[in-house]
Amino acid sequence: MKKKVAIVGASGYSGEELVGLLLRHPHVDLVAVTSRQNAGQPLAQIFPKFASHPRSKALRFTEPNAELLAKQADVVFLALPHGVAAEYAVPLLQGGCVVIDLSADFRLKNAEVYKEFYAHDHPAPDLLATSVYGLPEIHRDQIKQATLIASPGCYPTSILLPAIPLVKAKLVNPHSLIADSLSGVSGAGRKAEPDYLFVECNESVRPYGVPKHRHLSEIEEQLSLAAGAKITIQFTPHLIPVNRGILTTLYLAPAEHFADAAGAARFGEKIAACYRASYGHEPFVRLLEGQALPDTKNVVGTNAIEIAWRLDARTGRLIVMSAEDNLVKGASGQAVQSMNILCGFPETAGLV
Amino acid sequence: MKKKVAIVGASGYSGEELVGLLLRHPHVDLVAVTSRQNAGQPLAQIFPKFASHPRSKALRFTEPNAELLAKQADVVFLALPHGVAAEYAVPLLQGGCVVIDLSADFRLKNAEVYKEFYAHDHPAPDLLATSVYGLPEIHRDQIKQATLIASPGCYPTSILLPAIPLVKAKLVNPHSLIADSLSGVSGAGRKAEPDYLFVECNESVRPYGVPKHRHLSEIEEQLSLAAGAKITIQFTPHLIPVNRGILTTLYLAPAEHFADAAGAARFGEKIAACYRASYGHEPFVRLLEGQALPDTKNVVGTNAIEIAWRLDARTGRLIVMSAEDNLVKGASGQAVQSMNILCGFPETAGLV
Amino acid sequence: MKKKVAIVGASGYSGEELVGLLLRHPHVDLVAVTSRQNAGQPLAQIFPKFASHPRSKALRFTEPNAELLAKQADVVFLALPHGVAAEYAVPLLQGGCVVIDLSADFRLKNAEVYKEFYAHDHPAPDLLATSVYGLPEIHRDQIKQATLIASPGCYPTSILLPAIPLVKAKLVNPHSLIADSLSGVSGAGRKAEPDYLFVECNESVRPYGVPKHRHLSEIEEQLSLAAGAKITIQFTPHLIPVNRGILTTLYLAPAEHFADAAGAARFGEKIAACYRASYGHEPFVRLLEGQALPDTKNVVGTNAIEIAWRLDARTGRLIVMSAEDNLVKGASGQAVQSMNILCGFPETAGLV
Amino acid sequence: MKKKVAIVGASGYSGEELVGLLLRHPHVDLVAVTSRQNAGQPLAQIFPKFASHPRSKALRFTEPNAELLAKQADVVFLALPHGVAAEYAVPLLQGGCVVIDLSADFRLKNAEVYKEFYAHDHPAPDLLATSVYGLPEIHRDQIKQATLIASPGCYPTSILLPAIPLVKAKLVNPHSLIADSLSGVSGAGRKAEPDYLFVECNESVRPYGVPKHRHLSEIEEQLSLAAGAKITIQFTPHLIPVNRGILTTLYLAPAEHFADAAGAARFGEKIAACYRASYGHEPFVRLLEGQALPDTKNVVGTNAIEIAWRLDARTGRLIVMSAEDNLVKGASGQAVQSMNILCGFPETAGLV
């Protein structure tokens, strides 16, 4: 009765997080994990923290082989670099698998935009029409029907979940959106590059990818979809010395002008109502109340995103802040959440 | 020939940094350091890292006593909480000392604004007219004549230095300014509060003081002075797990609209020229070139501030980024820089 | 059918960890959490990371009241300072509860030794005879019968689990034992003291409590029990800038002298056999193989302890290394493990 | 009148630290810095933190060329991997330079031991007889006469400085020495290897190189020299998440047995007298008094080593603890100290 699942590219940080989530998921069996560099090694050797799990000694990394995987698994997660993921998605879909891709390959509908931001031709443009952007709180119904899910990027999740309800409700001017994001170093992946050495990151904070980070493409596409118009936004990522966590601060111009504190309070009630209606029943969105502000330490290791907002009566701006674990709600947890929806499991299965 | 200097409140982080800077300053003798809690103890005991300095065993903390200090010292640094600093400034000035105050007490010209942001009456409003805001790159001439210097806050320095030249040159709309700042934990001072415990800060990032942090008052006053009009801005501070360093990202609307990349490039030349004219010869302002972006690790332990900017032709916005050491350029180093100017020492004395 | 459990002193780091473990434990209901400072507040407010749990809004901290707790709960965990814990243990035991104490109050059999190390008279010496030292891998049978469990300290767990099998098997000279331990800062508790501020701990490593740390008393009592003779050992704790984790390195003189590499290899087989026999089937002890050495990052967040050893043919010494999470296997996880044994639950319930 | 100095291999962490020390040294001119990967680039570009120095724009990295360097420089520092350093030392010495080598190539007198620990033949065994081990507090007189200095390793410095006086004075049994050391990650060098990525080191602590780390060879050779007999010791290095700093804890058997606290106190006076006689006037050795224990944060960025000791009357052992900055006293600072001695500069020049 359990679904058989596999992970292609299980040796990176997102892959490792997926392994952990799927090993303890009540409704799936993890039947294959692939990794070119670790092929032949048991899971317990490469990731000692899973060594207590009964499957960790028997389950060995294999070379990735789409044909073989298509026979072994019902659902295949791709935790691969962009460009490479598509190579596996095509044969796996043909082989009858459901594919949940954590790369950027199927997040955009437009192959031209993909080329603009990723600097190479899209490897499988025909699939773009059928893929579903796997942000469950926004696209739950499409996810139920999907065979190819493009799981969102970590930064986009931290920006889109707080922004989309406001944009849809026309409470803010979407063109005004400025997103200032702070990410832990695991967001860079397990790449042995000097920039990500301990000594280079510790006691350091720095912006990067200014002003045109690749994640802008999917953020803008999703915001445009929500707004019903083409939206261009500002986004600045920063690297901070934590392992995990993204903290995003959004600056937005409210659609209404409020002349005084009373006007701001009335508008604030609309914001509050909008968020309650959108997320009041969502299991993984935590709307903060009172004086509380998001803090990554409250969400690390969980699939939750914290959201809080403040209206600034002095400037007339709305500030919205979010915190998530970049490897869970920003990557692997969200991918499992999509799988749960798609497979008809309880949406929180394996995630609480 | 050396000036005699004293530090009131030398046991906090800014005070400790001042001790280090003044001990190795070639033109001053550190004659007194005060601390209620450490009175009687030699410097070497409280701050072992200074134990190699010949003065560290003989120099002992004393109880603060303004009358006595006025007789001992030519220049007195106040590294005290706001509200308390003014109590010492009045008798020290009457006693003929130059006073360099690192607190917020004399940074604002308007006692009402002080009360609005600091929640108590100003303790010495008569002095506000004579105090000079100690940002050397902006107010060097007034500093030369000052007897009371209000050394700027750490966040304000990181925002004002990149913003003021653009505002003065009318290259940006100052009302559009959004400042998103990330600070190391020493900015909170050596306060034994649960929020600043290692476990609460490590592997955490969080905004705070949203949307009306106290530092807004001096930022807005200085920007208003530069703009010749009352300016209100947006400012969001965040706490990140590093000991030292502030990274600020500014979002600004250029005064000109540029229709395309060529227009942006032409406007960019104006920005570059403005910064070169303002800071090309400043010893402590480092204008980054090429692909380089600010990184706090490049400035920690120095009095330098790094500044870089990018025009975003997609959004029409200007992004300016700065990095400084909050305890040096953001506090004690800048205070020493002001002393150097005021006393006629080379401006970089003791700071390189 | 579920056991009702309560936590007295649930606002410290061990208490918080216990809350998390017991909220998701399949065989218990967490019916009460006490905290003087947080009384009246819902769990979700004080610990936002538990806010997604259905009980977190309804369950509020209460003032600790032993009589009331005795009526509410079957099992009560005490996460209190030493000296205070005993005050609650007495009435709770009289009220029919099982008590699992995470403090040092009931770890020693000898009230004189308690006074020597804790500097006050033992508050309930009559209970010392009946309490059981809750190290499941060593005292599982006694735990099954216990009503009062003294859960071991974090350092002792990291030292005793690797050492006791060797001592019992007389493979090492127990008097030779030197334990050099490195602990994360959460080991100091949620105390707002300057020594544990972020800036004081980050980029710092330091020994403390040299040479007579309090934990020596229980380490030596347990080792003496294992050896059948009074044992005195060396123990040096150090504070390192991580939130969680203890890494202990033990230096031991083998009971046999080996003249060459071949002799060392034969003796090594005895060590390996001893560990396999002691821990080969233990769910929470991970004996490392091959080149692997313990790393706290492999055990943080789990109830596992990693153990590896090396014989040094050059010096004739045995080096044993262990890694654990000080808040889980070193505190709250181990306490839950004891509860599982005592209550007849599967020993790993709620811990994997 | 200034000496001309060059650094071969200036792009690693020790090389970078040397650049900083030599740029601000009052008696030398830094005339060349070499780096294969950075050849052609100005210093300011590769190390922005030196950008404020007047030489940083003009001084460019060059390809290493021993003949050319021999013409340019009086003193050449080699900050190269072992094996490679010797290739440069030979022609530089022939060209008349003084060579200060920070690698392991000339630290041992015995080429066989070198091969045993470094796994390749010694590249220039003829030079071993003339090289001087550059530990100034121990070998100051030989350093004065040297033309080839082998600057000690970071771990050896932290162990030898506290141990040698006790061994020479026969106050301890040198065979009993156990050294447990904790090092910051910069000790691993600027190597882009997965083990040293931020995410792999942060929130982690682990032993490595157990039980036969390469540094043992020079530690044992120097201890044997001090003892007048061949000494074999125990040494366990650990990696902890700080950028800089080594904390070493030494366990030693006193040469005398003390029966009680009074005996221990008498023996303690001998220890204290020994350290005072050895280091009481050393500018870079800080003997801690009272309750103080070493802490790396007190020495980071300085050439100081902190030493404290405790006699344990319970176990009869002597515990000695030291703290140093691995890149300064443990590498580049100590190399400059040797240069100062050798060149007749004040020993503290450029180091305070």
Side-chain angles (χ1 to χ4, degrees):
Chain A
M1 296 293 290
K2 289 188 174 183
K3 290 278 184 190
K4 290 176 180 161
V5 302
I7 304 168
V8 183
S11 60
Y13 291 128
S14 295
E16 179 182 359
E17 190 71 19
L18 261 180
V19 169
L21 291 170
L22 295 174
L23 277 177
R24 62 176 193 249
H25 195 290
H27 304 307
V28 309
D29 277 329
L30 181 58
V31 297
V33 289
T34 84
S35 163
R36 286 226 154 79
Q37 70 191 97
N38 298 322
Q41 311 264 24
L43 201 54
Q45 175 128 350
I46 302 303
F47 297 137
K49 70 178 177 181
F50 300 137
S52 303
H53 192 280
R55 299 270 296 129
S56 71
K57 264 112 190 171
L59 191 60
R60 288 172 183 267
F61 286 95
T62 57
E63 293 279 347
N65 178 325
E67 280 182 37
L68 190 59
L69 288 164
K71 289 176 191 152
Q72 293 175 291
D74 305 309
V75 179
V76 180
F77 291 85
L78 305 180
L80 295 166
H82 62 84
V84 181
E87 294 175 25
Y88 289 88
V90 176
L92 286 165
L93 287 165
Q94 287 170 344
C97 294
V98 163
V99 172
I100 301 179
D101 178 21
L102 280 77
S103 87
D105 276 1
F106 302 104
R107 294 178 189 159
L108 300 173
K109 291 298 163 199
N110 187 326
E112 291 304 305
V113 176
Y114 181 90
K115 188 172 181 181
E116 177 191 350
F117 279 85
Y118 291 91
H120 58 83
D121 286 325
H122 194 284
D126 295 350
L127 287 175
L128 294 181
T130 59
S131 74
V132 171
Y133 193 71
L135 198 56
E137 291 77 7
I138 307 299
H139 299 302
R140 188 171 282 120
D141 288 343
Q142 295 97 300
I143 291 169
K144 285 179 188 163
Q145 318 295 331
T147 52
L148 171 57
I149 286 178
S151 213
C154 50
Y155 286 122
T157 299
S158 81
I159 294 166
L160 293 171
L161 284 177
I164 284 178
L166 305 177
V167 169
K168 279 189 176 168
K170 303 198 184 303
L171 288 169
V172 295
N173 171 0
H175 297 283
S176 69
L177 197 153
I178 293 172
D180 193 287
S181 292
L182 319 176
S183 173
V185 186
S186 62
R190 193 175 256 136
K191 278 178 295 200
E193 295 180 4
D195 280 355
Y196 307 119
L197 287 174
F198 181 83
V199 177
E200 303 304 315
C201 296
N202 185 41
E203 294 299 291
S204 158
V205 51
R206 55 191 197 251
Y208 67 100
V210 182
K212 201 177 168 188
H213 187 279
R214 283 169 168 170
H215 279 175
L216 264 173
S217 54
E218 64 184 279
I219 299 168
E220 291 181 349
E221 183 172 299
Q222 290 295 316
L223 286 177
S224 299
L225 207 65
K230 179 161 171 41
I231 305 298
T232 305
I233 67 146
Q234 198 73 52
F235 166 53
T236 312
H238 300 76
L239 197 68
I240 57 168
V242 298
N243 281 1
R244 291 161 169 245
I246 286 182
L247 192 295
T248 285
T249 303
L250 300 179
Y251 300 93
L252 286 152
E256 292 179 29
H257 180 73
F258 35 89
D260 54 16
R266 279 191 301 272
F267 186 72
E269 284 166 25
K270 293 186 191 175
I271 301 283
C274 171
Y275 274 132
R276 269 198 309 269
S278 303
Y279 296 140
H281 297 283
E282 285 294 341
F284 297 118
V285 182
R286 196 183 301 152
L287 300 172
L288 302 186
E289 289 164 14
Q291 297 302 308
L293 291 175
D295 185 331
T296 56
K297 73 169 172 278
N298 295 334
V299 294
V300 160
T302 80
N303 200 47
I305 182 168
E306 285 191 341
I307 298 175
W309 55 272
R310 296 289 186 274
L311 269 176
D312 188 348
R314 297 173 74 255
T315 63
R317 283 199 199 83
L318 173 65
I319 299 108
V320 189
M321 295 146 283
S322 74
E324 65 170 28
D325 184 328
N326 58 305
L327 294 180
V328 190
K329 187 59 180 168
S332 303
Q334 184 148 266
V336 170
Q337 188 182 351
S338 283
M339 176 192 74
N340 287 344
I341 294 168
L342 192 153
C343 292
F345 305 144
E347 190 165 331
T348 59
L351 291 172
V352 283
Chain B
M1 297 294 290
K2 288 188 173 183
K3 290 279 183 189
K4 289 176 180 161
V5 301
I7 304 169
V8 183
S11 60
Y13 290 127
S14 296
E16 180 182 358
E17 190 71 19
L18 260 180
V19 169
L21 290 170
L22 294 174
L23 277 178
R24 63 176 193 250
H25 195 289
H27 304 307
V28 309
D29 277 328
L30 182 57
V31 296
V33 289
T34 84
S35 163
R36 284 227 156 79
Q37 70 192 97
N38 297 323
Q41 311 264 25
L43 200 54
Q45 176 126 350
I46 302 304
F47 297 136
K49 70 178 177 180
F50 300 138
S52 303
H53 193 279
R55 299 270 297 128
S56 71
K57 264 110 189 172
L59 190 61
R60 288 173 183 266
F61 286 95
T62 57
E63 293 279 347
N65 178 325
E67 280 183 36
L68 191 58
L69 288 164
K71 289 176 192 153
Q72 293 175 290
D74 305 310
V75 180
V76 180
F77 291 85
L78 305 180
L80 295 166
H82 62 83
V84 182
E87 292 175 26
Y88 290 88
V90 175
L92 285 165
L93 287 165
Q94 286 170 344
C97 293
V98 164
V99 172
I100 302 179
D101 177 21
L102 280 78
S103 88
D105 276 0
F106 300 104
R107 293 177 189 158
L108 301 173
K109 291 297 163 199
N110 187 326
E112 291 304 304
V113 176
Y114 182 90
K115 188 172 181 181
E116 177 192 349
F117 279 85
Y118 290 91
H120 59 81
D121 286 324
H122 194 283
D126 295 349
L127 288 175
L128 294 180
T130 58
S131 73
V132 171
Y133 193 72
L135 199 55
E137 290 78 8
I138 308 299
H139 299 302
R140 187 171 282 121
D141 288 342
Q142 295 97 301
I143 291 169
K144 286 178 188 163
Q145 317 295 331
T147 51
L148 170 57
I149 286 178
S151 213
C154 50
Y155 287 122
T157 300
S158 81
I159 294 166
L160 292 171
L161 284 178
I164 284 178
L166 305 177
V167 168
K168 279 189 177 169
K170 302 198 183 304
L171 288 169
V172 296
N173 171 0
H175 297 283
S176 69
L177 197 154
I178 293 173
D180 193 287
S181 293
L182 319 176
S183 174
V185 186
S186 62
R190 193 175 257 137
K191 278 179 294 199
E193 294 180 4
D195 280 357
Y196 307 118
L197 287 174
F198 182 83
V199 178
E200 303 304 315
C201 296
N202 186 40
E203 294 300 290
S204 158
V205 51
R206 55 190 198 253
Y208 68 100
V210 182
K212 201 177 168 186
H213 187 279
R214 284 169 167 170
H215 278 176
L216 264 173
S217 54
E218 64 184 280
I219 300 168
E220 291 181 349
E221 184 172 299
Q222 291 294 316
L223 286 177
S224 299
L225 207 64
K230 179 161 171 41
I231 305 298
T232 305
I233 68 146
Q234 198 73 53
F235 166 54
T236 312
H238 299 76
L239 197 68
I240 58 167
V242 298
N243 282 0
R244 291 161 168 246
I246 285 182
L247 192 296
T248 285
T249 304
L250 300 179
Y251 300 93
L252 286 153
E256 293 179 28
H257 182 72
F258 35 89
D260 54 17
R266 279 191 301 273
F267 186 73
E269 285 166 26
K270 293 185 191 176
I271 301 283
C274 171
Y275 274 132
R276 268 198 310 269
S278 304
Y279 296 139
H281 297 284
E282 285 295 341
F284 297 118
V285 182
R286 197 184 300 152
L287 300 172
L288 302 186
E289 290 165 13
Q291 298 302 308
L293 291 175
D295 185 331
T296 56
K297 72 169 171 278
N298 295 335
V299 293
V300 160
T302 81
N303 199 48
I305 181 168
E306 284 191 341
I307 298 176
W309 55 272
R310 295 289 186 276
L311 270 175
D312 188 349
R314 298 172 73 255
T315 63
R317 281 200 200 83
L318 173 65
I319 298 109
V320 189
M321 295 146 283
S322 73
E324 65 170 28
D325 184 328
N326 58 305
L327 293 180
V328 190
K329 186 59 181 168
S332 303
Q334 184 147 266
V336 170
Q337 188 182 353
S338 283
M339 177 192 73
N340 287 344
I341 294 168
L342 192 153
C343 293
F345 305 144
E347 190 164 332
T348 60
L351 293 171
V352 283
Chain C
M1 294 293 290
K2 289 187 174 184
K3 290 279 184 190
K4 290 176 180 160
V5 302
I7 304 168
V8 183
S11 60
Y13 291 127
S14 295
E16 180 182 358
E17 190 71 18
L18 260 180
V19 169
L21 291 169
L22 295 174
L23 277 178
R24 62 177 194 247
H25 195 289
H27 304 307
V28 310
D29 278 326
L30 181 57
V31 297
V33 290
T34 85
S35 163
R36 286 226 154 81
Q37 69 192 98
N38 297 323
Q41 312 263 26
L43 200 54
Q45 174 126 352
I46 303 304
F47 297 137
K49 71 178 179 183
F50 299 137
S52 303
H53 193 279
R55 300 269 298 128
S56 71
K57 264 110 190 173
L59 191 60
R60 286 171 184 267
F61 286 95
T62 57
E63 293 279 347
N65 177 324
E67 279 183 38
L68 190 59
L69 288 164
K71 288 175 192 155
Q72 294 174 289
D74 304 310
V75 180
V76 180
F77 291 86
L78 305 179
L80 295 165
H82 62 83
V84 181
E87 292 175 28
Y88 289 88
V90 175
L92 286 165
L93 287 165
Q94 286 169 344
C97 294
V98 164
V99 172
I100 302 179
D101 178 21
L102 279 78
S103 88
D105 276 0
F106 300 103
R107 293 177 189 159
L108 300 173
K109 290 298 164 201
N110 187 327
E112 290 304 305
V113 176
Y114 181 90
K115 187 172 181 180
E116 177 191 349
F117 278 84
Y118 291 91
H120 59 83
D121 286 325
H122 194 282
D126 295 349
L127 288 175
L128 294 180
T130 58
S131 74
V132 171
Y133 193 73
L135 198 56
E137 290 78 6
I138 307 300
H139 299 302
R140 187 171 281 120
D141 288 344
Q142 296 98 300
I143 291 168
K144 284 179 190 164
Q145 319 295 331
T147 53
L148 171 57
I149 286 178
S151 213
C154 50
Y155 286 122
T157 300
S158 81
I159 295 165
L160 293 170
L161 284 178
I164 284 177
L166 304 177
V167 168
K168 279 189 176 166
K170 301 195 186 304
L171 288 169
V172 295
N173 171 1
H175 297 284
S176 69
L177 197 153
I178 292 172
D180 193 288
S181 292
L182 319 176
S183 174
V185 186
S186 62
R190 192 176 257 137
K191 277 178 295 199
E193 294 179 5
D195 279 357
Y196 307 119
L197 287 174
F198 181 84
V199 177
E200 302 304 314
C201 295
N202 185 41
E203 293 299 292
S204 158
V205 51
R206 54 190 198 253
Y208 68 99
V210 182
K212 200 178 170 187
H213 187 279
R214 283 168 168 171
H215 279 174
L216 264 173
S217 54
E218 64 184 278
I219 299 168
E220 291 181 349
E221 184 172 299
Q222 290 295 316
L223 285 177
S224 299
L225 206 65
K230 179 162 171 38
I231 306 298
T232 305
I233 69 146
Q234 199 72 52
F235 166 53
T236 311
H238 299 75
L239 197 68
I240 58 167
V242 298
N243 280 0
R244 290 160 171 249
I246 285 181
L247 192 295
T248 285
T249 303
L250 300 178
Y251 300 93
L252 286 153
E256 292 179 28
H257 180 75
F258 34 88
D260 54 17
R266 279 191 301 273
F267 186 72
E269 284 167 25
K270 294 186 190 174
I271 301 283
C274 171
Y275 275 132
R276 269 197 309 270
S278 303
Y279 296 140
H281 296 283
E282 286 294 341
F284 297 117
V285 182
R286 195 184 301 153
L287 301 171
L288 301 187
E289 290 165 13
Q291 299 302 308
L293 291 174
D295 186 331
T296 56
K297 73 169 171 275
N298 294 334
V299 294
V300 161
T302 82
N303 199 47
I305 182 170
E306 285 191 342
I307 298 176
W309 56 272
R310 296 289 185 276
L311 270 175
D312 187 349
R314 297 172 74 254
T315 64
R317 283 200 199 82
L318 173 64
I319 298 109
V320 190
M321 295 145 284
S322 73
E324 64 171 26
D325 184 329
N326 59 305
L327 294 180
V328 189
K329 186 60 180 168
S332 304
Q334 184 148 264
V336 169
Q337 189 182 352
S338 283
M339 176 193 74
N340 287 344
I341 294 167
L342 192 153
C343 292
F345 305 143
E347 191 165 331
T348 59
L351 292 171
V352 284
Chain D
M1 294 293 291
K2 289 186 172 183
K3 290 278 184 189
K4 290 176 181 161
V5 301
I7 305 168
V8 183
S11 60
Y13 291 127
S14 295
E16 180 182 357
E17 190 71 20
L18 260 180
V19 169
L21 290 169
L22 295 174
L23 276 179
R24 62 176 192 248
H25 195 290
H27 304 307
V28 309
D29 278 327
L30 181 58
V31 297
V33 290
T34 84
S35 164
R36 286 227 155 78
Q37 69 191 99
N38 298 322
Q41 311 265 24
L43 201 53
Q45 174 127 351
I46 302 304
F47 297 137
K49 71 177 178 182
F50 299 138
S52 303
H53 193 280
R55 300 268 298 127
S56 71
K57 264 110 190 173
L59 191 60
R60 287 171 183 269
F61 286 95
T62 56
E63 293 280 346
N65 177 324
E67 280 183 37
L68 189 59
L69 288 165
K71 289 176 191 152
Q72 293 174 289
D74 306 309
V75 180
V76 179
F77 291 85
L78 305 179
L80 295 165
H82 63 83
V84 181
E87 292 176 26
Y88 289 87
V90 175
L92 286 166
L93 287 165
Q94 286 170 344
C97 294
V98 164
V99 172
I100 301 179
D101 178 22
L102 280 77
S103 88
D105 276 0
F106 301 104
R107 293 177 189 158
L108 300 173
K109 291 297 164 200
N110 187 327
E112 291 304 305
V113 177
Y114 182 90
K115 187 173 181 181
E116 178 191 349
F117 279 85
Y118 291 90
H120 59 83
D121 286 325
H122 194 283
D126 295 349
L127 288 174
L128 294 180
T130 59
S131 74
V132 171
Y133 193 72
L135 199 55
E137 290 77 7
I138 307 301
H139 299 302
R140 187 171 282 119
D141 288 343
Q142 296 98 301
I143 291 169
K144 285 178 189 164
Q145 317 295 330
T147 52
L148 170 57
I149 286 177
S151 213
C154 50
Y155 287 122
T157 300
S158 81
I159 294 165
L160 293 171
L161 284 178
I164 284 178
L166 305 176
V167 169
K168 279 189 176 169
K170 302 197 185 305
L171 288 170
V172 296
N173 172 1
H175 297 284
S176 70
L177 197 152
I178 293 173
D180 193 287
S181 293
L182 320 176
S183 173
V185 186
S186 62
R190 193 176 256 135
K191 278 178 294 199
E193 294 180 4
D195 280 356
Y196 308 118
L197 287 174
F198 182 84
V199 177
E200 302 304 314
C201 295
N202 185 40
E203 293 300 293
S204 158
V205 51
R206 54 190 199 252
Y208 68 99
V210 183
K212 201 178 169 187
H213 187 279
R214 284 168 168 171
H215 280 175
L216 264 172
S217 53
E218 64 184 278
I219 300 168
E220 292 180 350
E221 184 173 298
Q222 290 294 316
L223 285 176
S224 299
L225 207 65
K230 179 161 170 41
I231 305 300
T232 305
I233 68 147
Q234 198 73 52
F235 166 54
T236 313
H238 299 75
L239 197 67
I240 58 167
V242 297
N243 281 0
R244 290 161 170 246
I246 285 181
L247 193 295
T248 284
T249 303
L250 300 178
Y251 301 93
L252 285 153
E256 291 179 29
H257 180 74
F258 35 88
D260 53 17
R266 279 191 301 273
F267 186 72
E269 285 167 24
K270 294 186 190 175
I271 302 284
C274 171
Y275 275 132
R276 268 197 310 270
S278 303
Y279 296 140
H281 296 284
E282 285 294 342
F284 298 117
V285 182
R286 196 183 301 153
L287 300 171
L288 301 187
E289 290 165 13
Q291 299 301 308
L293 291 175
D295 186 330
T296 56
K297 73 169 170 277
N298 295 334
V299 294
V300 161
T302 81
N303 199 46
I305 181 168
E306 285 191 342
I307 298 176
W309 55 273
R310 296 289 185 275
L311 270 175
D312 188 348
R314 297 172 74 255
T315 64
R317 282 200 199 84
L318 173 64
I319 298 108
V320 190
M321 295 146 284
S322 73
E324 65 170 27
D325 184 328
N326 59 304
L327 293 181
V328 189
K329 186 61 180 168
S332 303
Q334 184 148 265
V336 170
Q337 189 183 352
S338 282
M339 176 193 73
N340 287 344
I341 294 168
L342 192 153
C343 293
F345 304 144
E347 190 163 332
T348 60
L351 293 171
V352 284

